[in-house]
Every structure is written in structure tokens, then in C-alpha cells.
Amino acid sequence: MLEKFIDYTYQIFPTIDTNIKNGIKDLMKQFDTTKPNWFSRPLDILSQGDILENIPFSYTNQDGEEVTFITKGMILSNTCDMTRDEYIMIAPFIPFNHDFKEETMLNIKNNIISGKMCLTNCYLDNYYIDFSRSSSFVRNIIVDLYKKGKIKRIHSLSQFGFYFLCSKISVYYLRVENYDNFNSRSKEIFM
């Protein structure tokens, strides 16, 4: 799983030195990546990467209607933002369904689709985290519901899981644009 993600990352960030890429692959060989340790004990405060239950997500469907669904969510906001920002970002866990082609499902499970993250080889591997459906929530409401037990934290990420989340978020939001778009940025406009 992780080796495919490393190869994918190398393809979209071609300036990564080959020696660094191979070094990362060598380092990964020391871990049993078929059983990654995604979770740690719950951290003292709500933190980036925490998995919460009972989060209400909304989206507008193809007919322009607002649809709300309740599922698990992963906190994407930085841990320090969880203590001070008015709004925080949470991404939903979406169950796999039969609408996906087998190849697409395999690519999501191998984490080579940039906008989706799968925690493979654990009880959550029938879900994927969909960054494109992330929602903004009022921090105080989430924290208050958490303190009242209406929203439960089911996991905090281990260091392994946290660094993987950071990698996935970076790939999703900061990968290089297609050549034409990127090249057009060099044409400066002076006013």
C-alpha cells in the first residue's frame, strides 16, 4: 500500500531526488506496512487527525437540494487551530459502495487517488476519507458536543498515521498543476 503511494507521490512531484525516494522505500521496509499502526491512545485535547463519530455533513446534490448525512469525520484543522479558530475543517468517512469500478476502489485503497485517504488493514478499511467533501464547522459547537458526549472521539492518529495524513493533504492541495496552467503563471501582469 505505502510503496504505491510513494511511487505516486514521486510521479506528481518529479523533482524529488531519486536517492531520497529510494531511501524512503528502504526505511519503509523496516515496518510491516500490511498492518500499519494507525492509532494511538486518545490525545489530551481534540487534535488534527482525530476521528470523531456522529458528525453531520451537508452537500448540494445534482438537483440543487441540500442533503445531510451523519458519519465519522477526521479533523483536518491543525491542533492549535482547534483551540482558537472560530471554524475548523472536518472530512467525512464515506463507505465504499458498488458504484466504484474495481480498479478505482483498488486505487483508493492504495491511496493513489489524491483526494481520498484509506486507512487500510484495520476495521475502517471499508471507508475512505474524502477531502473533497470536507466541511467547515463552528469549533465551539463541535467542542461543546464533544464535552457533552454527543460527539465521540474514537481514535487519535499515531505518529505513523499523522505523517501519512500530512502527506495525503499535501499531495491533494499542493501537487503541481498541469503543465499549461503552471506555465501560464510565469506570464506576469503589471498594473
Side-chain angles (χ1 to χ4, degrees):
M1 170 205 68
L2 293 178
E3 192 164 305
K4 289 184 185 295
F5 176 70
I6 292 168
D7 288 339
Y8 171 68
T9 304
Y10 185 66
Q11 288 172 4
I12 61 174
F13 294 111
T15 58
I16 295 175
D17 184 90
T18 303
N19 292 329
I20 292 172
K21 175 189 153 195
N22 292 334
I24 292 169
K25 280 187 174 183
D26 289 341
L27 286 172
M28 294 308 295
K29 288 178 185 174
Q30 66 184 311
F31 298 105
D32 181 1
T33 57
T34 63
K35 297 178 184 173
N37 182 11
W38 294 109
F39 312 119
S40 70
R41 64 170 179 75
L43 301 175
D44 294 335
I45 58 173
L46 287 176
S47 303
Q48 188 174 39
D50 279 358
I51 300 169
L52 307 175
E53 280 189 323
N54 302 323
I55 303 296
F57 290 91
S58 296
Y59 68 95
T60 304
N61 69 16
Q62 297 293 331
D63 298 326
E65 301 165 335
E66 187 167 321
V67 177
T68 299
F69 63 102
I70 296 175
T71 188
K72 297 168 186 60
M74 179 176 279
I75 297 173
L76 298 183
S77 294
N78 191 283
T79 301
C80 65
D81 296 337
M82 288 295 301
T83 63
R84 64 177 180 225
D85 282 1
E86 187 175 352
Y87 296 95
I88 58 169
M89 294 298 296
I90 302 177
F93 278 73
I94 307 294
F96 280 105
N97 61 39
H98 300 292
D99 294 342
F100 285 121
K101 293 179 184 173
E102 188 174 333
E103 180 183 357
T104 302
M105 214 159 114
L106 185 60
N107 286 339
I108 293 172
K109 287 195 177 231
N110 284 323
N111 283 294
I112 57 175
I113 293 184
S114 59
K116 307 198 181 338
M117 179 175 165
C118 191
L119 304 176
T120 56
N121 301 313
C122 73
Y123 78 99
L124 292 171
D125 69 358
N126 287 324
Y127 294 85
Y128 61 93
I129 301 147
D130 192 344
F131 299 136
S132 68
R133 294 194 203 184
S134 298
S135 294
S136 175
F137 293 88
V138 176
R139 178 185 56 86
N140 286 339
I141 292 174
I142 296 295
V143 171
D144 287 347
L145 290 172
Y146 172 73
K147 287 178 180 176
K148 291 175 182 172
K150 294 183 179 181
I151 290 177
K152 297 188 182 336
R153 173 175 40 190
I154 49 178
H155 293 293
S156 291
L157 288 180
S158 65
Q159 278 190 337
F160 172 85
F162 175 75
Y163 285 126
F164 192 71
L165 172 63
C166 290
S167 298
K168 285 295 292 184
I169 290 172
S170 297
V171 166
Y172 181 55
Y173 286 107
L174 302 174
R175 66 191 184 275
V176 175
E177 295 177 305
N178 72 44
Y179 178 78
D180 292 333
N181 278 358
F182 185 71
N183 203 28
S184 68
R185 290 182 183 275
S186 66
K187 297 174 177 80
E188 299 175 8
I189 299 174
F190 295 97
M191 295 189 174

